[in-house]
Amino acid sequence: MALNSLLITGLLLSVLTFFLTKINKKLGSYFTIFSTLFVLIFLFGYMNDVGTVFNLGSFGGFSLQLVSSNYGWFFSIIMVLTYFLVSFFNPYWIEKMVNPASYNMLYVFSVVSTLGIFFAKDFLTLFIFWEMVVWSSLFIIPLGKSRKASVVYYTISTIGSFSMFFAVMYLYSLFQTFDIESISQNLISSPNTAVMAYFAIIIAGLAKLGIFPFHTWLPIAHGNAPHTFSPVLSGGLVKMGAFIALLVSAIIPTSQIFSNHIRIIGVPYENYIIMVLGAISIIVGTLMAIKQEDAKRLIAYSTVANGGYILIGISLLDQVGFAGGIMHIFNHAMASAAMFLAIGAVAYRTGTTNMNELGGLIKKMPVTFAAYLIAIISIAGIPPTSGFASKWLIFQGLASKGLMFIAFATFFGSIGSFMYVFRPLATVFLGQLSPKHKDVKEVPFMMQIPMLVMSLLTIYFGVFPSEMLGFISKIQASLNIVPISVEGSKIYSFSGMWDSLVITVAFVIGFIIAALIFYTHKKAQPVDQMNTYTSGEFIYDPESYHYAKNYYAPFERLYKNHPSVEKFYDVIALRVNEFGRLVRSWFFSSNASVGVFWISVIITIAFFWGDKI
C-alpha cells in the first residue's frame, strides 16, 4: 500500500473506531489493536525504501507531500510499535474512560498523524500533522484525572507550535518554498538566517521532548493522563521532539552550515547550547525523579532525563555518539512504556500509583515485577539490556570530543537513575504487602503480552545491538555522517572495541555463580511477617514495616532549597490571571456604570477624532 494511502486509510480507521466503540466499548477497544497492527504491518514495507515521493493533496499553489526515508521509517516504526503494544491495555481500561469512543478514535488518530510528521517532504505538511497530533493528545489527556494537565500541556505545546510556525513562514518568505531539501540548500549559503531558523524550530522539539526549561508539562500530563495513554506519551509522542532535533541538526546539515561559526570545544556554539540544555535536563530530571511519591510522576521525570541523553547524542553529529542517541530513542520507548505499563497494571489491581500505599506485590504480580525490573535495568544503562548499549555509545562520543561537563551530567544521570528506578522496585514490589492487597492477583494474560514483548526486545537488542546499529549506520550514511563501525557482535569506537556477546556471557556466568551460591547455601529461615520486634517492642501494624515515605530524605535535603522553574512559571501564571481579571472587570463587567463609561469614551473618540482614525 502506498504511503499516502496508508496514512489516509489509518485516519479513516480512527473514524471507524469511534462508531464501533459507540456500538460496543470492548469492540472499539479491540479495534484499536487491529488498526495499529494494520499500520504496523504495511509500514514494514518501507523499511528500505528511500526517496519515493507521495502526494497527499494540492490546493492553490501548495502541495502536501510525503517522502520515504530510513530515518522517517525508524521513528515511525518505534511510534506505531509502541502504540500497538500499549493498545492491549485498552479493552481493560475502557470501562473507566469518561468518553470511550473519543478516546479510541483519538488514540488511532494520533498515531497515524505522526506518520505525516516523520515522512513529511515539506514544512507545511510537517506543521499540519504536528498540530493534528498535539490537538488529538490534548483531548485525550483530560480523560484521565486532571483537566489542568491539558492546560499545561497545551500552553507548552503552543509555545513550540508558534515558534515553529514563525520559522516556517519566515523561511517561506525568504525562499518561496516549504520543501525541506530546497530550504536546506538555501540555508547553506545563508548561515546567519539558519541560526534564527535553527533555534526557532528546535524550540518546538525541546518543548515536545520535555527539555529544560520546557519540561514542566511532562510530570503533570504523564502523571494525570489515562493509564493507557501515559506509556505512549512517554514512549512515543515525546520522540516527535527528537525528530525535530534530528531535522534541524542533521537533515538540515548544521555541521556544514555552522562550520565557520564560533566553536566551543570543537562544537558550533549553536549545537553546544542545545547540548547544555540536554545536560541540564538530565540533572534536573534525575533530582526531581528521586523526590516523587507517585510512581507515574517519577517515570515522567525519568523521561525528562532520558530526553537529555537523546538530545545530546543527536547534537553530537558524530560517528558513535549520534548512533547512541538514535538508538536510545528506541531503548527509552520500550523501557519507559514498559515501566508505565507495569505501574498501570499495578493501578489496575490496586487502584493507586502512590508508592506510599503499595508494597510486597512481587509474589502477587510476578510478570509485572519482571517487566518493571528489566525496564529499569535498561533505563539505568546496565548490560545486557539495550539501554547500556546506547548510553555507552553516547559516553564514547562525549569522551572523544572532550566534552567533560556534559559527560559529567550524563554520568550523574546514570548514577542517579539507579536511585530513582530502585524506589518503585523497593516500595511497590518489595517490602511488606498491605493487608488490603492480600487478594490482588496478576493482570490478565493479554495485559502481560506488551510487557513481555517490550522486555524481550530490550534484552534482544542489548545482546545483539549490532542488529539495530547496522540500520542506524544507513541513516548516518544518508545524512552524510560517518557510519558507526559494526562487525558481528563487535562495535568499534575511538577508544577501542566492545563485544556485546562477551559482556553478555560474563553476566550470565556471574548470574549462574550467584544462583549456585544462593541455592547451595543454607537458606534464611522464613518467619511470619509479625513474628519480629524492634527496640524490644512488638509492632502490630504490618504497614509500619514498609518504609516508603521520604525514601531518600537525607539525599533530598541536600537540594531541598533548589531554584524552581515551576515556581517561576506559577508566578507568571498568577500575574497573567490577575491581568485577565483586570481586563474582564474593565471591559466585560456586568456593572451598567462601567458599560456607560466605555460607551461614553467611544462616542467621545468618534466625535473628536473619528475622521482621523
Side-chain angles (χ1 to χ4, degrees):
M1 179 180 289
L3 196 55
N4 51 351
S5 300
L6 177 62
L7 195 152
I8 294 171
T9 304
L11 294 177
L12 292 175
L13 285 175
S14 71
V15 178
L16 181 58
T17 306
F18 177 84
F19 290 108
L20 289 176
T21 310
K22 282 290 185 183
I23 297 171
N24 184 289
K25 294 178 183 178
K26 289 279 186 181
L27 176 63
S29 300
Y30 282 112
F31 199 70
T32 62
I33 302 174
F34 167 78
S35 301
T36 49
L37 178 61
F38 174 85
V39 176
L40 185 66
I41 291 173
F42 281 97
L43 196 57
F44 267 102
Y46 291 91
M47 183 175 182
N48 295 310
D49 190 359
V50 175
T52 307
V53 177
F54 304 90
N55 192 43
L56 273 174
S58 301
F59 57 96
F62 305 106
S63 296
L64 302 180
Q65 293 183 319
L66 307 175
V67 61
S68 58
S69 62
N70 45 28
Y71 51 80
W73 182 86
F74 185 80
F75 276 83
S76 299
I77 207 71
I78 293 173
M79 186 73 69
V80 180
L81 177 63
T82 304
Y83 266 80
F84 166 64
L85 292 174
V86 174
S87 65
F88 282 78
F89 268 48
N90 286 342
Y92 296 93
W93 280 100
I94 200 64
E95 296 292 343
K96 300 179 181 179
M97 293 289 177
V98 177
N99 193 333
S102 296
Y103 174 81
N104 283 338
M105 180 190 72
L106 293 171
Y107 187 89
V108 179
F109 185 86
S110 60
V111 64
V112 175
S113 299
T114 60
L115 301 183
I117 297 171
F118 298 140
F119 290 111
K121 189 177 185 302
D122 55 88
F123 275 115
L124 189 59
T125 303
L126 187 151
F127 184 76
I128 290 173
F129 281 97
W130 179 276
E131 287 303 297
M132 288 168 65
V133 176
V134 168
W135 282 92
S136 56
S137 51
L138 170 70
F139 288 117
I140 289 180
I141 291 172
L143 298 180
K145 295 185 291 186
S146 169
R147 292 183 182 276
K148 180 185 175 183
S150 258
V151 175
V152 175
Y153 169 67
Y154 180 69
T155 303
I156 301 292
S157 292
T158 300
I159 294 172
S161 294
F162 274 109
S163 182
M164 182 193 290
F165 184 72
F166 165 77
V168 170
M169 291 297 111
Y170 175 66
L171 292 172
Y172 180 79
S173 68
L174 292 177
F175 306 125
Q176 304 303 307
T177 179
F178 288 116
D179 187 82
I180 294 172
E181 185 176 354
S182 300
I183 289 174
S184 299
Q185 294 303 314
N186 283 306
L187 288 177
I188 292 174
S189 56
S190 306
N192 293 328
T193 300
V195 174
M196 178 181 289
Y198 174 75
F199 283 112
I201 295 176
I202 206 168
I203 284 176
L206 300 181
K208 184 59 70 179
L209 192 53
I211 297 298
F212 178 89
F214 303 106
H215 65 285
T216 52
W217 72 270
L218 265 78
I220 298 174
H222 290 195
N224 292 288
H227 293 301
T228 51
F229 199 65
S230 294
V232 295
L233 264 178
S234 178
L237 290 181
V238 299
K239 306 304 183 294
M240 288 164 51
F243 181 78
I244 294 299
L246 179 77
L247 171 66
V248 297
S249 299
I251 301 173
I252 297 176
T254 53
S255 59
Q256 183 178 354
I257 296 172
F258 299 152
S259 59
N260 294 323
H261 286 196
I262 298 172
R263 304 179 80 82
I264 302 176
I265 317 178
V267 179
Y269 78 89
E270 297 91 346
N271 295 70
Y272 190 81
I273 290 172
I274 299 303
M275 292 170 69
V276 169
L277 290 177
I280 295 173
S281 296
I282 292 174
I283 295 174
V284 170
T286 300
L287 293 177
M288 294 303 292
I290 290 171
K291 296 174 61 175
Q292 302 308 310
E293 303 288 341
D294 184 273
K296 289 181 69 175
R297 287 180 64 90
L298 183 150
I299 302 171
Y301 274 113
S302 166
T303 301
V304 174
N306 281 276
Y309 282 97
I310 293 170
L311 187 65
I312 289 171
I314 290 175
S315 299
L316 278 170
L317 294 173
D318 70 339
Q319 182 185 22
V320 179
F322 179 85
I326 296 295
M327 187 180 184
H328 203 63
I329 294 169
F330 172 83
N331 295 340
H332 180 254
M334 292 298 105
S336 174
M339 290 167 68
F340 267 116
L341 287 178
I343 297 302
V346 169
Y348 181 74
R349 288 304 194 198
T350 65
T352 182
T353 58
N354 189 330
M355 291 182 283
N356 297 331
E357 302 173 13
L358 298 166
L361 294 176
I362 181 172
K363 293 183 179 178
K364 298 290 183 179
M365 306 179 72
V367 175
T368 302
F369 163 75
Y372 181 80
L373 179 63
I374 294 171
I376 65 172
I377 291 174
S378 183
I379 286 289
I382 302 173
T385 58
S386 55
F388 168 76
S390 53
K391 283 191 173 181
W392 184 84
L393 292 170
I394 294 172
F395 290 148
Q396 290 289 315
L398 290 169
S400 66
K401 289 182 177 295
L403 297 164
M404 299 315 296
F405 167 72
I406 297 172
F408 168 78
T410 57
F411 183 73
F412 176 87
S414 287
I415 299 299
S417 64
F418 283 104
M419 296 178 67
Y420 66 70
V421 297
F422 180 75
R423 184 173 180 181
L425 184 76
T427 58
V428 175
F429 296 103
L430 303 181
Q432 303 299 328
L433 179 69
S434 174
K436 64 183 177 183
H437 296 146
K438 62 183 177 60
D439 296 326
V440 164
K441 58 183 179 180
E442 185 59 271
V443 291
F445 178 69
M446 192 168 165
M447 293 177 73
Q448 298 175 29
I449 291 175
M451 293 189 286
L452 291 170
V453 172
M454 288 176 178
S455 299
L456 290 174
L457 289 173
T458 297
I459 294 175
Y460 177 79
F461 285 111
V463 178
F464 305 104
S466 56
E467 295 289 324
M468 185 183 300
L469 290 172
F471 187 83
I472 291 175
S473 69
K474 295 179 182 177
I475 295 176
Q476 289 177 293
S478 69
L479 298 174
N480 296 317
I481 299 172
V482 179
I484 188 169
S485 181
V486 179
E487 184 182 307
S489 61
K490 299 175 181 175
I491 295 140
Y492 294 89
S493 72
F494 86 101
S495 64
M497 178 270 292
W498 156 48
D499 193 322
S500 60
L501 275 182
V502 171
I503 292 178
T504 302
V505 170
F507 265 79
V508 170
I509 292 173
F511 181 80
I512 292 173
I513 293 173
L516 287 173
I517 294 173
F518 178 79
Y519 286 109
T520 56
H521 283 62
K522 186 178 180 180
K523 295 182 174 56
Q525 180 66 37
V527 296
D528 182 77
Q529 181 177 330
M530 302 306 298
N531 186 16
T532 185
Y533 60 90
T534 178
S535 300
E537 294 290 337
F538 283 97
I539 298 178
Y540 299 99
D541 178 8
E543 293 182 351
S544 297
Y545 287 114
H546 186 53
Y547 302 99
K549 193 172 180 59
N550 294 325
Y551 199 80
Y552 290 121
F555 182 78
E556 292 171 25
R557 281 197 290 271
L558 297 176
Y559 61 98
K560 66 177 182 180
N561 295 322
H562 63 86
S564 171
V565 71
E566 286 87 350
K567 292 179 181 176
F568 175 70
Y569 290 157
D570 287 341
V571 170
I572 294 177
L574 178 63
R575 296 292 176 261
V576 170
N577 183 273
E578 290 175 347
F579 179 73
R581 290 184 179 183
L582 177 67
V583 170
R584 186 172 65 179
S585 66
W586 275 91
F587 296 97
F588 303 98
S589 171
S590 58
N591 191 328
S593 60
V594 175
V596 171
F597 169 76
W598 283 113
I599 291 173
S600 302
V601 170
I602 292 172
I603 291 175
T604 303
I605 293 174
F607 182 80
F608 288 102
W609 300 286
D611 58 333
K612 298 178 181 178
I613 296 177

